[in-house]
Amino acid sequence: MTAQPQRKDDRLWGGRFEREPDKQFDAFQRSFAFDRRLLPYELAVDRAWAKALQGVGILSAAEVHDTLLALDNIAKEFAADPSFLESPTAEDVHHFVESALVHELGALGWKLHTGRSRNELVATDFRLFVMDAAKQVQSGLVGLLTAFLEQAKTHFGVPMAGMTHMQHAQPILLSHFLLAHAEAFSRDLTRLQHAAESADACPMGSGALAGNSFGIDRNAIARELGFSRITANSLDAVSDRDFALDYLFALAGIATHLSRLAEDFVIFASQEFAYVILPDEYSTGSSLMPQKKNPDAWELMRGKTGRITGALLGLLTTLKGLPTSYQRDLQEDKEALFSAHDQVSDMLAVATGALAATKFNAERLRAAASNPALFATDAADYLVHRGVPFRQAHDLVGQVLREAERQGKPWTQLTLEEVQKISPLFEEDFLTGPSLEDVIANKVVLGGTAPEPVRAAMAILQNRITQLNSKLGAKP
Ligand code: ARG
């Protein structure tokens, strides 16, 4: 260790102050407890900045060499023992690294902050975090999509009662239902991509607000850090958190979709439905009632969605009153975003496991789908094919259903005489009714629930997953 050089105190800004900060305020203004998570990004930015300073003659090659070594040491110390980050004095991650550098390098450690500000540092670190985070969550989503595809393949051909307003509507394939959720999560992938792209611009060189006086090469720094472009306006660069909003919006979208999936499964697991059998691994029991198996995994997913949405609303609210440029309020951007990222990552992992382990009760599903009441639309179509205008056909079948309801039997069990009283256009084959299979097979339109388009949709999803896996570097 080099002998400690002297400064009035270790603060980054103490020179003009006569008195110490109030203790409570000092604790209040620190962000190290949460922004230390940005350490790897801070070190990467420091490396790039040291080289940039060499490029403009502020640091010699030897000084850069020593600085890079010291930065590596900080990374190693942290890797060896995360308690290395327990610092009672660090104000934030930027202060922590500068103190650690000075500890290693003496006065040379004070040179690195030449021409730069924490305002651009924190924006840069945070953007790098969001770019990585979005990619991680994309991988989580691909895992979930894979679980949907597997279940859709396993249960291909199982019918269920499709619902609107939670009322039985028309028969569909269970696979079609599963793929509907997969579509929603596929849109989340696009939103994450958008968030990563909006984060992908490097602020370094923006200074505290006005830019840099040393002539540093902003594009070189951006390239070294893996950004594909630089921010356009120094004032905007230190105050912009739109990328964080975009990321939170993407996370809130995922959470909302998970919450809706959760709601479906909570309902399907109820005794009234009994469409799914909850996996033991993802359920809990009651401390009082021995028979209970509760869908806690799904309920918690639904419950946690509130705070993800809250994180988005919180940041929107923080940003709305801010004057242009950096304001300390912006420090409030990180905690909620980190937590939302962690929660959504966990939610995706649990949802993937729970979905994969869920057993579907094919008999119950088929029984509900087989009720002829669900074929009423097809019964109206029967008349349409005989030239009756649809609205009239709808009325006539409505009367058939009313008569069946009055007699307390399915409409297919009425007599020919009874239905011909309603319309002479009904013939013997009307009462045989369409088969469940036919009703589903007729929905052969693109995007419909017939086996053919559902098989095509599974192939498209399989393709999407394969492409994403190769893009995200995961094993197929
Ligand atoms: N810790 C701050 C943040 O998270 C960065 C420091 C900027 N501080 C300042 N006084 N300009 O936003």
Side-chain angles (χ1 to χ4, degrees):
M1 183 192 99
T2 319
Q4 283 299 291
Q6 292 308 304
R7 277 176 69 231
K8 181 168 152 271
D9 62 34
D10 175 50
R11 282 179 289 168
L12 296 178
W13 41 265
R16 58 104 61 227
F17 285 82
E18 262 177 43
R19 293 182 300 282
E20 293 291 306
D22 170 82
K23 287 229 162 353
Q24 191 169 21
F25 164 64
D26 196 35
F28 178 74
Q29 62 101 19
R30 285 166 193 266
S31 53
F32 189 55
F34 50 89
D35 70 14
R36 61 192 200 170
R37 183 166 183 170
L38 296 173
L39 181 77
Y41 305 107
E42 178 81 0
L43 295 176
V45 177
D46 283 348
R47 285 187 193 100
W49 193 252
K51 291 177 202 164
L53 287 180
Q54 181 182 358
V56 295
I58 297 291
L59 290 182
S60 69
E63 286 175 325
V64 171
H65 175 264
D66 290 352
T67 304
L68 294 181
L69 265 183
L71 290 168
D72 286 349
N73 281 342
I74 295 171
K76 276 187 209 145
E77 292 221 43
F78 170 59
D81 180 9
S83 73
F84 171 66
L85 275 187
E86 302 302 329
S87 161
T89 49
E91 179 177 316
D92 55 24
V93 66
H94 324 290
H95 182 206
F96 175 83
V97 174
E98 184 168 309
S99 301
L101 272 182
V102 173
H103 186 76
E104 297 242 353
L105 297 171
L108 172 58
W110 289 331
K111 286 197 173 182
L112 187 62
H113 207 58
T114 308
R116 74 178 193 181
S117 159
R118 285 182 293 167
N119 301 351
E120 58 184 332
L121 272 176
V122 75
T124 308
D125 293 356
F126 201 29
R127 282 169 177 271
L128 288 168
F129 174 88
V130 166
M131 286 157 72
D132 276 353
K135 208 172 158 185
Q136 273 172 36
V137 173
Q138 280 186 323
S139 295
L141 274 172
V142 175
L144 182 63
L145 290 180
T146 308
F148 275 116
L149 180 61
E150 288 310 311
Q151 288 283 26
K153 278 193 204 158
T154 306
H155 297 95
F156 188 69
V158 174
M160 69 184 282
M163 291 180 281
T164 61
H165 312 267
M166 288 303 291
Q167 302 290 315
H168 284 186
Q170 291 183 315
I172 57 173
L173 289 182
L174 171 59
S175 305
H176 196 56
F177 165 85
L178 293 165
L179 293 174
H181 280 291
E183 278 307 305
F185 289 108
S186 298
R187 288 193 291 278
D188 292 325
L189 284 163
T190 314
R191 274 201 276 265
L192 285 170
Q193 191 55 34
H194 171 72
E197 279 164 21
S198 91
D200 182 12
C202 183
M204 291 311 291
S206 300
L209 74 161
N212 177 283
S213 323
F214 291 89
I216 51 118
D217 182 348
R218 292 193 60 202
N219 284 310
I221 299 171
R223 263 197 309 278
E224 163 138 14
L225 289 170
F227 286 104
S228 63
R229 64 189 206 280
I230 59 174
T231 52
N233 176 303
S234 61
L235 197 56
D236 178 53
V238 295
S239 80
D240 171 26
R241 293 294 183 274
D242 290 356
F243 62 94
L245 287 179
D246 286 339
Y247 187 50
L248 284 170
F249 185 67
L251 293 179
I254 296 167
T256 302
H257 291 149
L258 285 171
S259 188
R260 293 179 68 169
L261 173 68
E263 179 67 1
D264 277 342
F265 278 124
V266 168
I267 292 172
F268 287 179
S270 69
Q271 282 70 26
E272 284 70 19
F273 275 79
Y275 284 176
V276 301
I277 298 148
L278 291 171
D280 277 10
E281 301 88 320
Y282 291 92
S283 311
T284 67
S286 158
S287 61
L288 177 68
M289 299 165 282
Q291 87 282 12
K292 289 301 287 297
K293 181 156 74 161
N294 297 325
D296 299 42
W298 298 117
E299 288 171 305
L300 280 168
M301 217 138 354
R302 195 176 55 189
K304 282 173 190 289
T305 298
R307 59 165 131 162
I308 314 299
T309 314
L312 171 63
L313 292 181
L315 185 58
L316 277 167
T317 311
T318 296
L319 294 178
K320 91 169 254 305
L322 293 191
T324 308
S325 187
Y326 181 84
Q327 323 295 336
R328 192 64 183 275
D329 317 44
L330 291 168
Q331 181 169 292
E332 289 296 308
D333 58 359
K334 284 174 280 299
E335 257 179 308
L337 184 141
F338 289 157
S339 151
H341 166 78
D342 293 340
Q343 288 297 329
V344 169
S345 303
D346 287 353
M347 285 159 75
L348 281 171
V350 171
T352 302
L355 173 62
T358 294
K359 300 255 177 298
F360 290 87
N361 186 340
E363 248 166 64
R364 288 278 302 183
L365 288 160
R366 176 179 290 278
S370 305
N371 178 354
L374 277 73
F375 312 159
T377 314
D378 306 80
D381 291 348
Y382 172 96
L383 291 179
V384 168
H385 287 303
R386 279 156 186 75
V388 180
F390 176 73
R391 187 54 52 222
Q392 235 174 327
H394 187 291
D395 277 353
L396 292 169
V397 171
Q399 289 172 45
V400 170
L401 290 170
R402 197 168 64 209
E403 177 58 23
E405 198 172 280
R406 200 183 60 78
Q407 297 187 28
K409 48 166 90 144
W411 63 268
T412 42
Q413 281 173 28
L414 294 176
T415 63
L416 187 59
E417 215 182 7
E418 284 163 342
V419 294
Q420 282 186 340
K421 251 191 244 150
I422 295 167
S423 165
L425 287 171
F426 291 127
E427 288 170 46
E428 197 76 65
D429 60 342
F430 174 70
L431 285 176
T432 350
S435 72
L436 171 60
E437 278 63 33
D438 284 348
V439 169
I440 293 178
N442 287 342
K443 308 293 184 305
V444 77
V445 67
L446 287 176
T449 195
E452 216 175 290
V454 171
R455 212 192 310 268
M458 292 197 300
I460 290 169
L461 180 58
Q462 176 66 74
N463 242 336
R464 196 178 294 156
I465 290 171
T466 311
Q467 276 174 17
L468 284 160
N469 273 332
S470 74
K471 189 179 124 198
L472 295 166
K475 282 174 246 93

